[in-house]
Structure formats: structure tokens, C-alpha cells
mmCIF file of all heavy atoms in Angstrom:
data_model
loop_
_atom_site.group_PDB
_atom_site.id
_atom_site.type_symbol
_atom_site.label_atom_id
_atom_site.label_comp_id
_atom_site.label_asym_id
_atom_site.label_seq_id
_atom_site.Cartn_x
_atom_site.Cartn_y
_atom_site.Cartn_z
ATOM 1 N N VAL A 1 5.251 -2.887 1.190
ATOM 2 C CA VAL A 1 3.842 -2.645 1.592
ATOM 3 C C VAL A 1 2.945 -2.045 0.344
ATOM 4 O O VAL A 1 1.887 -2.399 0.180
ATOM 5 C CB VAL A 1 3.704 -1.712 2.808
ATOM 6 C CG1 VAL A 1 2.331 -1.417 3.070
ATOM 7 C CG2 VAL A 1 4.319 -2.551 3.963
ATOM 8 N N GLN A 2 3.688 -1.271 -0.467
ATOM 9 C CA GLN A 2 3.069 -0.654 -1.691
ATOM 10 C C GLN A 2 2.573 -1.876 -2.575
ATOM 11 O O GLN A 2 1.488 -1.786 -3.262
ATOM 12 C CB GLN A 2 3.881 0.303 -2.416
ATOM 13 C CG GLN A 2 4.051 1.706 -1.690
ATOM 14 C CD GLN A 2 5.142 2.491 -2.373
ATOM 15 O OE1 GLN A 2 6.074 2.018 -3.022
ATOM 16 N NE2 GLN A 2 4.865 3.750 -2.448
ATOM 17 N N ARG A 3 3.278 -2.970 -2.545
ATOM 18 C CA ARG A 3 2.964 -4.094 -3.356
ATOM 19 C C ARG A 3 1.733 -4.852 -2.817
ATOM 20 O O ARG A 3 1.305 -5.773 -3.549
ATOM 21 C CB ARG A 3 4.128 -4.976 -3.525
ATOM 22 C CG ARG A 3 5.332 -4.335 -4.188
ATOM 23 C CD ARG A 3 6.553 -5.243 -4.108
ATOM 24 N NE ARG A 3 7.642 -4.424 -4.876
ATOM 25 C CZ ARG A 3 8.841 -4.471 -4.438
ATOM 26 N NH1 ARG A 3 9.298 -5.233 -3.309
ATOM 27 N NH2 ARG A 3 9.883 -3.740 -5.038
ATOM 28 N N PHE A 4 1.245 -4.506 -1.657
ATOM 29 C CA PHE A 4 -0.024 -5.174 -1.202
ATOM 30 C C PHE A 4 -1.164 -4.901 -2.241
ATOM 31 O O PHE A 4 -2.058 -5.708 -2.312
ATOM 32 C CB PHE A 4 -0.423 -4.607 0.159
ATOM 33 C CG PHE A 4 0.464 -5.326 1.325
ATOM 34 C CD1 PHE A 4 1.532 -5.960 1.073
ATOM 35 C CD2 PHE A 4 0.094 -4.920 2.570
ATOM 36 C CE1 PHE A 4 2.272 -6.540 2.139
ATOM 37 C CE2 PHE A 4 0.890 -5.353 3.636
ATOM 38 C CZ PHE A 4 1.920 -6.252 3.450
ATOM 39 N N ALA A 5 -1.079 -3.759 -2.865
ATOM 40 C CA ALA A 5 -2.183 -3.477 -3.927
ATOM 41 C C ALA A 5 -2.041 -4.432 -5.026
ATOM 42 O O ALA A 5 -3.066 -4.960 -5.512
ATOM 43 C CB ALA A 5 -1.926 -2.162 -4.476
ATOM 44 N N VAL A 6 -0.867 -4.963 -5.350
ATOM 45 C CA VAL A 6 -0.709 -5.932 -6.405
ATOM 46 C C VAL A 6 -1.193 -7.329 -5.864
ATOM 47 O O VAL A 6 -1.887 -8.046 -6.677
ATOM 48 C CB VAL A 6 0.797 -6.077 -6.775
ATOM 49 C CG1 VAL A 6 1.072 -7.268 -7.725
ATOM 50 C CG2 VAL A 6 1.228 -4.770 -7.363
ATOM 51 N N LEU A 7 -0.859 -7.592 -4.671
ATOM 52 C CA LEU A 7 -1.347 -8.924 -4.053
ATOM 53 C C LEU A 7 -2.886 -8.833 -3.962
ATOM 54 O O LEU A 7 -3.470 -9.954 -4.112
ATOM 55 C CB LEU A 7 -0.780 -9.048 -2.704
ATOM 56 C CG LEU A 7 0.685 -9.333 -2.642
ATOM 57 C CD1 LEU A 7 1.174 -9.346 -1.150
ATOM 58 C CD2 LEU A 7 0.958 -10.691 -3.213
ATOM 59 N N GLU A 8 -3.488 -7.640 -3.648
ATOM 60 C CA GLU A 8 -4.937 -7.659 -3.686
ATOM 61 C C GLU A 8 -5.508 -8.019 -5.076
ATOM 62 O O GLU A 8 -6.577 -8.681 -5.237
ATOM 63 C CB GLU A 8 -5.359 -6.350 -3.138
ATOM 64 C CG GLU A 8 -6.877 -6.218 -3.053
ATOM 65 C CD GLU A 8 -7.507 -4.933 -2.548
ATOM 66 O OE1 GLU A 8 -6.580 -3.967 -2.074
ATOM 67 O OE2 GLU A 8 -8.732 -4.769 -2.384
ATOM 68 N N HIS A 9 -4.921 -7.255 -6.106
ATOM 69 C CA HIS A 9 -5.358 -7.393 -7.483
ATOM 70 C C HIS A 9 -5.276 -8.838 -7.863
ATOM 71 O O HIS A 9 -6.197 -9.493 -8.525
ATOM 72 C CB HIS A 9 -4.552 -6.576 -8.484
ATOM 73 C CG HIS A 9 -4.939 -6.586 -9.780
ATOM 74 N ND1 HIS A 9 -5.999 -6.143 -10.396
ATOM 75 C CD2 HIS A 9 -4.353 -7.409 -10.925
ATOM 76 C CE1 HIS A 9 -6.107 -6.367 -11.607
ATOM 77 N NE2 HIS A 9 -5.099 -7.185 -11.971
ATOM 78 N N TYR A 10 -4.076 -9.527 -7.730
ATOM 79 C CA TYR A 10 -3.828 -10.750 -8.360
ATOM 80 C C TYR A 10 -4.149 -11.996 -7.342
ATOM 81 O O TYR A 10 -4.479 -13.066 -7.817
ATOM 82 C CB TYR A 10 -2.358 -11.102 -8.688
ATOM 83 C CG TYR A 10 -1.938 -10.217 -9.979
ATOM 84 C CD1 TYR A 10 -1.025 -9.165 -9.816
ATOM 85 C CD2 TYR A 10 -2.427 -10.586 -11.255
ATOM 86 C CE1 TYR A 10 -0.694 -8.548 -11.075
ATOM 87 C CE2 TYR A 10 -2.055 -9.924 -12.339
ATOM 88 C CZ TYR A 10 -1.231 -8.895 -12.233
ATOM 89 O OH TYR A 10 -0.856 -8.157 -13.370
ATOM 90 N N ARG A 11 -4.149 -11.778 -6.116
ATOM 91 C CA ARG A 11 -4.333 -12.947 -5.203
ATOM 92 C C ARG A 11 -5.347 -12.658 -4.116
ATOM 93 O O ARG A 11 -5.615 -13.474 -3.189
ATOM 94 C CB ARG A 11 -2.996 -13.199 -4.463
ATOM 95 C CG ARG A 11 -1.821 -13.577 -5.400
ATOM 96 C CD ARG A 11 -2.153 -14.854 -6.160
ATOM 97 N NE ARG A 11 -0.965 -15.257 -6.890
ATOM 98 C CZ ARG A 11 -0.878 -15.324 -8.157
ATOM 99 N NH1 ARG A 11 -1.955 -14.930 -9.003
ATOM 100 N NH2 ARG A 11 0.185 -15.703 -8.764
ATOM 101 N N GLY A 12 -6.110 -11.457 -4.163
ATOM 102 C CA GLY A 12 -7.179 -11.214 -3.219
ATOM 103 C C GLY A 12 -6.661 -10.925 -1.689
ATOM 104 O O GLY A 12 -7.477 -10.968 -0.812
ATOM 105 N N PHE A 13 -5.357 -10.719 -1.567
ATOM 106 C CA PHE A 13 -4.813 -10.388 -0.260
ATOM 107 C C PHE A 13 -5.140 -8.969 0.115
ATOM 108 O O PHE A 13 -4.894 -8.078 -0.612
ATOM 109 C CB PHE A 13 -3.328 -10.569 -0.179
ATOM 110 C CG PHE A 13 -2.738 -10.375 1.157
ATOM 111 C CD1 PHE A 13 -2.652 -11.183 2.190
ATOM 112 C CD2 PHE A 13 -2.122 -9.054 1.295
ATOM 113 C CE1 PHE A 13 -2.137 -10.826 3.348
ATOM 114 C CE2 PHE A 13 -1.561 -8.757 2.542
ATOM 115 C CZ PHE A 13 -1.519 -9.552 3.576
ATOM 116 N N VAL A 14 -5.636 -8.825 1.309
ATOM 117 C CA VAL A 14 -5.820 -7.473 1.890
ATOM 118 C C VAL A 14 -5.149 -7.317 3.311
ATOM 119 O O VAL A 14 -4.970 -8.332 3.943
ATOM 120 C CB VAL A 14 -7.368 -7.098 2.037
ATOM 121 C CG1 VAL A 14 -8.027 -6.945 0.682
ATOM 122 C CG2 VAL A 14 -8.132 -8.067 2.909
ATOM 123 N N VAL A 15 -4.872 -6.073 3.586
ATOM 124 C CA VAL A 15 -4.222 -5.868 4.974
ATOM 125 C C VAL A 15 -5.270 -6.433 6.010
ATOM 126 O O VAL A 15 -6.469 -6.096 5.907
ATOM 127 C CB VAL A 15 -3.961 -4.404 5.152
ATOM 128 C CG1 VAL A 15 -3.537 -4.128 6.644
ATOM 129 C CG2 VAL A 15 -2.995 -3.841 4.148
ATOM 130 N N PRO A 16 -4.832 -7.257 6.955
ATOM 131 C CA PRO A 16 -5.648 -7.733 7.979
ATOM 132 C C PRO A 16 -6.472 -6.675 8.666
ATOM 133 O O PRO A 16 -5.957 -5.588 8.952
ATOM 134 C CB PRO A 16 -4.774 -8.506 8.947
ATOM 135 C CG PRO A 16 -3.547 -8.871 8.059
ATOM 136 C CD PRO A 16 -3.446 -7.687 7.128
ATOM 137 N N GLN A 17 -7.743 -6.920 9.003
ATOM 138 C CA GLN A 17 -8.581 -6.022 9.645
ATOM 139 C C GLN A 17 -8.034 -5.397 10.887
ATOM 140 O O GLN A 17 -8.150 -4.234 11.161
ATOM 141 C CB GLN A 17 -9.904 -6.612 10.007
ATOM 142 C CG GLN A 17 -10.968 -5.707 10.304
ATOM 143 C CD GLN A 17 -11.366 -4.648 9.269
ATOM 144 O OE1 GLN A 17 -11.238 -5.025 8.035
ATOM 145 N NE2 GLN A 17 -11.873 -3.632 9.583
ATOM 146 N N GLU A 18 -7.314 -6.146 11.709
ATOM 147 C CA GLU A 18 -6.809 -5.669 13.014
ATOM 148 C C GLU A 18 -5.613 -4.794 12.873
ATOM 149 O O GLU A 18 -5.053 -4.133 13.816
ATOM 150 C CB GLU A 18 -6.415 -6.871 13.879
ATOM 151 C CG GLU A 18 -5.079 -7.665 13.423
ATOM 152 C CD GLU A 18 -4.963 -8.852 14.309
ATOM 153 O OE1 GLU A 18 -4.294 -8.671 15.377
ATOM 154 O OE2 GLU A 18 -5.501 -9.890 13.989
ATOM 155 N N CYS A 19 -5.059 -4.577 11.700
ATOM 156 C CA CYS A 19 -3.809 -3.779 11.486
ATOM 157 C C CYS A 19 -4.227 -2.301 11.205
ATOM 158 O O CYS A 19 -3.871 -1.744 10.187
ATOM 159 C CB CYS A 19 -2.992 -4.336 10.252
ATOM 160 S SG CYS A 19 -2.344 -5.953 10.642
ATOM 161 N N GLU A 20 -4.879 -1.718 12.143
ATOM 162 C CA GLU A 20 -5.320 -0.407 12.075
ATOM 163 C C GLU A 20 -4.073 0.638 11.996
ATOM 164 O O GLU A 20 -4.188 1.529 11.154
ATOM 165 C CB GLU A 20 -6.066 0.117 13.359
ATOM 166 C CG GLU A 20 -7.363 -0.761 13.365
ATOM 167 C CD GLU A 20 -7.975 -0.668 14.815
ATOM 168 O OE1 GLU A 20 -7.639 0.281 15.495
ATOM 169 O OE2 GLU A 20 -9.048 -1.454 14.928
ATOM 170 N N ARG A 21 -3.099 0.516 12.820
ATOM 171 C CA ARG A 21 -1.844 1.332 12.732
ATOM 172 C C ARG A 21 -1.123 1.175 11.363
ATOM 173 O O ARG A 21 -0.560 2.091 10.918
ATOM 174 C CB ARG A 21 -0.999 0.947 13.863
ATOM 175 C CG ARG A 21 -1.450 1.447 15.284
ATOM 176 C CD ARG A 21 -1.383 3.069 15.380
ATOM 177 N NE ARG A 21 -0.117 3.655 14.915
ATOM 178 C CZ ARG A 21 1.010 3.756 15.725
ATOM 179 N NH1 ARG A 21 0.892 3.345 17.007
ATOM 180 N NH2 ARG A 21 1.987 4.375 15.294
ATOM 181 N N LEU A 22 -1.169 0.040 10.816
ATOM 182 C CA LEU A 22 -0.542 -0.176 9.430
ATOM 183 C C LEU A 22 -1.290 0.599 8.410
ATOM 184 O O LEU A 22 -0.701 1.210 7.649
ATOM 185 C CB LEU A 22 -0.636 -1.715 9.133
ATOM 186 C CG LEU A 22 0.059 -1.985 7.796
ATOM 187 C CD1 LEU A 22 1.522 -1.547 7.594
ATOM 188 C CD2 LEU A 22 0.062 -3.512 7.587
ATOM 189 N N ARG A 23 -2.523 0.551 8.598
ATOM 190 C CA ARG A 23 -3.372 1.448 7.629
ATOM 191 C C ARG A 23 -2.940 2.966 7.729
ATOM 192 O O ARG A 23 -2.907 3.719 6.878
ATOM 193 C CB ARG A 23 -4.855 1.206 7.716
ATOM 194 C CG ARG A 23 -5.306 -0.197 7.420
ATOM 195 C CD ARG A 23 -6.795 -0.471 7.663
ATOM 196 N NE ARG A 23 -7.140 -1.690 7.898
ATOM 197 C CZ ARG A 23 -7.294 -2.659 6.866
ATOM 198 N NH1 ARG A 23 -7.157 -2.093 5.668
ATOM 199 N NH2 ARG A 23 -7.648 -3.862 7.096
ATOM 200 N N VAL A 24 -2.886 3.405 8.941
ATOM 201 C CA VAL A 24 -2.518 4.888 9.284
ATOM 202 C C VAL A 24 -1.163 5.169 8.754
ATOM 203 O O VAL A 24 -0.883 6.055 8.130
ATOM 204 C CB VAL A 24 -2.619 5.096 10.839
ATOM 205 C CG1 VAL A 24 -2.012 6.425 11.117
ATOM 206 C CG2 VAL A 24 -4.127 5.057 11.268
ATOM 207 N N TRP A 25 -0.190 4.198 9.051
ATOM 208 C CA TRP A 25 1.146 4.267 8.570
ATOM 209 C C TRP A 25 1.169 4.386 6.955
ATOM 210 O O TRP A 25 1.956 5.224 6.392
ATOM 211 C CB TRP A 25 2.024 3.022 8.988
ATOM 212 C CG TRP A 25 3.328 3.134 8.420
ATOM 213 C CD1 TRP A 25 4.398 3.859 8.990
ATOM 214 C CD2 TRP A 25 3.904 2.441 7.341
ATOM 215 N NE1 TRP A 25 5.581 3.587 8.292
ATOM 216 C CE2 TRP A 25 5.280 2.790 7.228
ATOM 217 C CE3 TRP A 25 3.328 1.677 6.342
ATOM 218 C CZ2 TRP A 25 6.040 2.264 6.153
ATOM 219 C CZ3 TRP A 25 4.050 1.140 5.205
ATOM 220 C CH2 TRP A 25 5.406 1.425 5.167
ATOM 221 N N ILE A 26 0.383 3.580 6.208
ATOM 222 C CA ILE A 26 0.341 3.540 4.833
ATOM 223 C C ILE A 26 -0.170 4.944 4.396
ATOM 224 O O ILE A 26 0.358 5.564 3.519
ATOM 225 C CB ILE A 26 -0.518 2.415 4.289
ATOM 226 C CG1 ILE A 26 0.097 1.113 4.570
ATOM 227 C CG2 ILE A 26 -0.890 2.652 2.775
ATOM 228 C CD1 ILE A 26 -0.810 -0.093 4.189
ATOM 229 N N ALA A 27 -1.268 5.437 4.996
ATOM 230 C CA ALA A 27 -1.721 6.734 4.587
ATOM 231 C C ALA A 27 -0.703 7.898 4.828
ATOM 232 O O ALA A 27 -0.574 8.765 3.955
ATOM 233 C CB ALA A 27 -3.096 7.059 5.334
ATOM 234 N N ALA A 28 -0.021 7.857 5.993
ATOM 235 C CA ALA A 28 0.872 8.882 6.341
ATOM 236 C C ALA A 28 2.111 8.837 5.300
ATOM 237 O O ALA A 28 2.550 9.834 4.874
ATOM 238 C CB ALA A 28 1.419 8.629 7.784
ATOM 239 N N MET A 29 2.578 7.636 5.123
ATOM 240 C CA MET A 29 3.652 7.516 4.020
ATOM 241 C C MET A 29 3.291 8.030 2.734
ATOM 242 O O MET A 29 4.072 8.652 1.949
ATOM 243 C CB MET A 29 4.145 6.003 3.958
ATOM 244 C CG MET A 29 4.834 5.552 5.094
ATOM 245 S SD MET A 29 6.413 6.437 5.590
ATOM 246 C CE MET A 29 7.457 5.920 4.291
ATOM 247 N N SER A 30 2.101 7.697 2.237
ATOM 248 C CA SER A 30 1.583 8.216 0.991
ATOM 249 C C SER A 30 1.407 9.707 0.856
ATOM 250 O O SER A 30 1.488 10.295 -0.294
ATOM 251 C CB SER A 30 0.239 7.575 0.764
ATOM 252 O OG SER A 30 0.294 6.103 0.665
ATOM 253 N N GLU A 31 1.295 10.421 2.003
ATOM 254 C CA GLU A 31 1.189 11.848 1.974
ATOM 255 C C GLU A 31 2.487 12.523 1.883
ATOM 256 O O GLU A 31 2.630 13.709 1.547
ATOM 257 C CB GLU A 31 0.529 12.324 3.261
ATOM 258 C CG GLU A 31 -0.889 11.887 3.324
ATOM 259 C CD GLU A 31 -1.814 12.576 2.318
ATOM 260 O OE1 GLU A 31 -1.580 13.836 1.992
ATOM 261 O OE2 GLU A 31 -2.588 11.859 1.696
ATOM 262 N N LEU A 32 3.610 11.853 2.016
ATOM 263 C CA LEU A 32 4.933 12.413 2.046
ATOM 264 C C LEU A 32 5.259 12.948 0.589
ATOM 265 O O LEU A 32 5.180 12.062 -0.358
ATOM 266 C CB LEU A 32 6.071 11.541 2.419
ATOM 267 C CG LEU A 32 5.925 11.068 4.000
ATOM 268 C CD1 LEU A 32 6.960 9.960 4.258
ATOM 269 C CD2 LEU A 32 6.201 12.324 4.900
ATOM 270 N N PRO A 33 5.745 14.121 0.431
ATOM 271 C CA PRO A 33 6.096 14.624 -0.964
ATOM 272 C C PRO A 33 7.112 13.670 -1.624
ATOM 273 O O PRO A 33 7.096 13.463 -2.843
ATOM 274 C CB PRO A 33 6.682 16.024 -0.689
ATOM 275 C CG PRO A 33 5.994 16.538 0.553
ATOM 276 C CD PRO A 33 5.768 15.197 1.358
ATOM 277 N N SER A 34 8.131 13.208 -0.926
ATOM 278 C CA SER A 34 9.213 12.390 -1.484
ATOM 279 C C SER A 34 8.606 11.016 -1.977
ATOM 280 O O SER A 34 8.974 10.643 -3.011
ATOM 281 C CB SER A 34 10.264 12.130 -0.462
ATOM 282 O OG SER A 34 9.691 11.432 0.598
ATOM 283 N N VAL A 35 7.582 10.562 -1.301
ATOM 284 C CA VAL A 35 6.870 9.318 -1.658
ATOM 285 C C VAL A 35 6.052 9.664 -2.873
ATOM 286 O O VAL A 35 6.058 8.915 -3.930
ATOM 287 C CB VAL A 35 6.108 8.639 -0.591
ATOM 288 C CG1 VAL A 35 5.227 7.541 -1.127
ATOM 289 C CG2 VAL A 35 6.933 8.337 0.510
ATOM 290 N N GLN A 36 5.303 10.732 -2.860
ATOM 291 C CA GLN A 36 4.418 11.124 -4.047
ATOM 292 C C GLN A 36 5.282 11.363 -5.258
ATOM 293 O O GLN A 36 4.791 10.950 -6.389
ATOM 294 C CB GLN A 36 3.610 12.332 -3.720
ATOM 295 C CG GLN A 36 2.531 11.979 -2.651
ATOM 296 C CD GLN A 36 1.760 13.263 -2.302
ATOM 297 O OE1 GLN A 36 1.964 14.302 -2.666
ATOM 298 N NE2 GLN A 36 0.679 13.056 -1.401
ATOM 299 N N ALA A 37 6.452 11.807 -5.171
ATOM 300 C CA ALA A 37 7.157 12.202 -6.233
ATOM 301 C C ALA A 37 7.839 10.886 -6.932
ATOM 302 O O ALA A 37 8.192 10.956 -8.144
ATOM 303 C CB ALA A 37 8.325 13.101 -5.968
ATOM 304 N N THR A 38 7.895 9.809 -6.176
ATOM 305 C CA THR A 38 8.701 8.663 -6.695
ATOM 306 C C THR A 38 7.798 7.401 -6.769
ATOM 307 O O THR A 38 8.266 6.479 -7.425
ATOM 308 C CB THR A 38 9.947 8.367 -5.831
ATOM 309 O OG1 THR A 38 9.451 8.034 -4.497
ATOM 310 C CG2 THR A 38 10.926 9.492 -5.839
ATOM 311 N N GLN A 39 6.637 7.401 -6.276
ATOM 312 C CA GLN A 39 5.973 6.123 -6.277
ATOM 313 C C GLN A 39 5.383 5.829 -7.535
ATOM 314 O O GLN A 39 4.849 6.720 -8.282
ATOM 315 C CB GLN A 39 4.838 6.029 -5.055
ATOM 316 C CG GLN A 39 3.686 6.848 -5.249
ATOM 317 C CD GLN A 39 2.783 6.768 -4.107
ATOM 318 O OE1 GLN A 39 3.002 6.081 -3.121
ATOM 319 N NE2 GLN A 39 1.595 7.295 -4.241
ATOM 320 N N ARG A 40 5.159 4.542 -7.840
ATOM 321 C CA ARG A 40 4.482 4.136 -9.009
ATOM 322 C C ARG A 40 2.971 4.043 -8.639
ATOM 323 O O ARG A 40 2.542 3.817 -7.589
ATOM 324 C CB ARG A 40 5.041 2.751 -9.490
ATOM 325 C CG ARG A 40 6.515 2.764 -9.866
ATOM 326 C CD ARG A 40 7.084 1.459 -9.973
ATOM 327 N NE ARG A 40 7.085 1.133 -11.415
ATOM 328 C CZ ARG A 40 7.360 -0.110 -11.894
ATOM 329 N NH1 ARG A 40 7.920 -1.048 -11.007
ATOM 330 N NH2 ARG A 40 7.338 -0.395 -13.060
ATOM 331 N N THR A 41 2.198 4.232 -9.794
ATOM 332 C CA THR A 41 0.627 4.067 -9.611
ATOM 333 C C THR A 41 0.402 2.495 -9.473
ATOM 334 O O THR A 41 1.104 1.712 -9.760
ATOM 335 C CB THR A 41 0.039 4.556 -10.817
ATOM 336 O OG1 THR A 41 0.304 3.789 -11.930
ATOM 337 C CG2 THR A 41 0.284 6.051 -11.073
ATOM 338 N N VAL A 42 -0.799 2.395 -8.862
ATOM 339 C CA VAL A 42 -1.235 0.901 -8.764
ATOM 340 C C VAL A 42 -1.381 0.207 -10.098
ATOM 341 O O VAL A 42 -0.800 -0.878 -10.309
ATOM 342 C CB VAL A 42 -2.614 0.931 -8.059
ATOM 343 C CG1 VAL A 42 -3.191 -0.604 -8.087
ATOM 344 C CG2 VAL A 42 -2.303 1.281 -6.550
ATOM 345 N N PRO A 43 -1.814 0.892 -11.171
ATOM 346 C CA PRO A 43 -1.817 0.190 -12.501
ATOM 347 C C PRO A 43 -0.392 -0.117 -12.922
ATOM 348 O O PRO A 43 -0.235 -1.188 -13.635
ATOM 349 C CB PRO A 43 -2.554 1.182 -13.388
ATOM 350 C CG PRO A 43 -3.476 1.983 -12.510
ATOM 351 C CD PRO A 43 -2.747 2.033 -11.169
ATOM 352 N N GLN A 44 0.536 0.724 -12.747
ATOM 353 C CA GLN A 44 1.877 0.443 -13.029
ATOM 354 C C GLN A 44 2.462 -0.740 -12.363
ATOM 355 O O GLN A 44 3.183 -1.516 -12.844
ATOM 356 C CB GLN A 44 2.787 1.648 -12.759
ATOM 357 C CG GLN A 44 2.573 2.917 -13.727
ATOM 358 C CD GLN A 44 3.383 4.101 -13.426
ATOM 359 O OE1 GLN A 44 3.536 4.361 -12.212
ATOM 360 N NE2 GLN A 44 3.883 4.820 -14.288
ATOM 361 N N LEU A 45 2.145 -0.728 -11.053
ATOM 362 C CA LEU A 45 2.642 -1.961 -10.223
ATOM 363 C C LEU A 45 2.118 -3.223 -10.737
ATOM 364 O O LEU A 45 2.628 -4.206 -10.827
ATOM 365 C CB LEU A 45 2.409 -1.611 -8.763
ATOM 366 C CG LEU A 45 3.137 -0.722 -8.073
ATOM 367 C CD1 LEU A 45 2.568 -0.351 -6.602
ATOM 368 C CD2 LEU A 45 4.645 -1.233 -7.904
#
């Protein structure tokens, strides 16, 4: 799902509008210290 940012950059793909819970999930996962410590930045991806 983190790769969706890459798909948006290269292919114009965005999370479908109706996927509200997916957006909440992405935000919640991004707030986890373990994720913050290990995730790559969007430019890196």
C-alpha cells in the first residue's frame, strides 16, 4: 500500500474515493513508531 504513492507518481493511480477506511488505516499505520523507523520516503520509493 505504501507503493500506491509510486503508482500515483508514475501512473496517476489514487486510492478509490470510497475507500475511507483504507485511508484511515494508512494514516494509522504511518503513525506507528516501528513504521516510522523503517519506512522509506516517497522520493526514495
Side-chain angles (χ1 to χ4, degrees):
V1 173
Q2 287 173 326
R3 293 172 186 149
F4 285 4
V6 173
L7 290 173
E8 182 175 2
H9 176 80
Y10 286 113
R11 302 294 186 247
F13 177 84
V14 294
V15 174
Q17 192 67 24
E18 70 185 273
C19 294
E20 297 166 10
R21 286 292 308 278
L22 178 55
R23 293 175 203 284
V24 169
W25 177 85
I26 291 168
M29 290 298 290
S30 297
E31 293 295 319
L32 296 172
S34 60
V35 172
Q36 290 178 354
T38 58
Q39 76 180 3
R40 297 168 96 184
T41 66
V42 171
Q44 288 172 325
L45 286 169

